[in-house]
């Protein structure tokens, strides 16, 4: 009888350990390197790698701006459903020339695409700006991303202010 009770106790302890391990493993997989939380659409059908886009400090009226500067941030969209994502509508509420510019192709189940968010503050006064972007996929619910940027003058950048 003691051997059976010991076996049940060991089995119970092992099961509890496995449940705790699985739960902690799953939660760490969802972390993003910059401590930003991913967001999902309707039962995790569509996942975005981040819920916030911070363009950082962007120089006003910068004639040397190109697509490799900090005014571009990539967000990865993953189709976790069993259906092909056939469309993705975007809407941006943000001052300046902010946008999401990419060629959309249908996204099969399990596939991902990188979506570039861009921001050009050429007609904005220096200061902090915030807004949002809404992505509406053909599968699941709309997803909102918080946007923010700090516009600085070329003088601010050169003097280290």
């Amino acid at each position: 009888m003691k051997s059976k009770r010991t076996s049940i106790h060991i089995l119970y302890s092992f099961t509890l350990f496995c449940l705790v391990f699985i739960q902690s493993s799953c939660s760490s997989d969802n972390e993003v390197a910059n401590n930003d939380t991913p967001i999902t659409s309707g039962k995790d059908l569509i996942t975005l790698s981040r819920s916030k886009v911070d363009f950082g400090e962007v120089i006003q009226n910068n004639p040397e701006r190109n697509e490799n500067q900090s005014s571009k941030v990539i967000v990865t969209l993953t189709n976790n459903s069993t259906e092909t994502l056939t469309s993705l509508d975007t809407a941006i509420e943000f001052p300046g020339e902010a946008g999401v510019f990419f060629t959309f192709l249908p996204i099969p189940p399990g596939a991902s695409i990188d979506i570039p968010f861009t921001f050009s503050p050429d007609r904005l006064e220096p200061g902090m700006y915030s807004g949002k972007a809404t992505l509406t996929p053909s599968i699941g619910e709309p997803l909102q991303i918080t946007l923010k940027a700090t516009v600085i003058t070329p003088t601010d950048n050169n003097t280290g202010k």
Side-chain angles (χ1 to χ4, degrees):
M1 183 74 171
K2 187 174 186 179
S3 174
K4 187 174 182 181
R5 184 177 286 165
T6 303
S7 296
I8 291 173
H9 180 72
I10 291 171
L11 181 60
Y12 175 77
S13 297
F14 179 74
T15 303
L16 183 60
F17 170 79
C18 289
L19 289 173
V20 169
F21 178 77
I22 289 170
Q23 181 181 7
S24 66
S25 295
C26 289
S27 65
S28 66
D29 287 344
N30 290 330
E31 291 178 8
V32 176
N34 66 359
N35 294 328
D36 188 14
T37 54
I39 56 175
T40 59
S41 171
K43 299 182 183 176
D44 300 338
L45 298 176
I46 304 299
T47 304
L48 295 179
S49 60
R50 56 177 57 207
S51 60
K52 299 174 187 170
V53 169
D54 185 350
F55 294 106
E57 290 185 342
V58 184
I59 300 171
Q60 173 193 48
N61 298 321
N62 185 359
E64 298 176 15
R65 180 177 294 111
N66 62 46
E67 62 184 56
N68 295 322
Q69 289 186 312
S70 64
S71 59
K72 178 176 160 182
V73 176
I74 302 294
V75 175
T76 302
L77 178 145
T78 303
N79 181 358
N80 299 314
S81 76
T82 57
E83 300 176 41
T84 297
L85 183 65
T86 58
S87 68
L88 181 66
D89 295 326
T90 61
I92 301 240
E93 296 175 26
F94 197 72
E97 295 178 26
V100 179
F101 303 103
F102 65 102
T103 302
F104 179 83
L105 297 173
I107 305 167
S112 298
I113 62 166
D114 287 339
I115 301 172
F117 283 76
T118 59
F119 172 62
S120 177
D122 293 341
R123 296 184 185 132
L124 294 177
E125 294 296 319
M128 294 176 60
Y129 294 90
S130 63
K132 66 180 178 176
T134 303
L135 303 179
T136 306
S138 60
I139 302 167
E141 301 295 321
L143 302 160
Q144 282 200 346
I145 297 174
T146 302
L147 306 174
K148 79 177 201 176
T150 301
V151 176
I152 61 173
T153 64
T155 310
D156 290 341
N157 189 43
N158 292 334
T159 61
K161 286 185 183 177

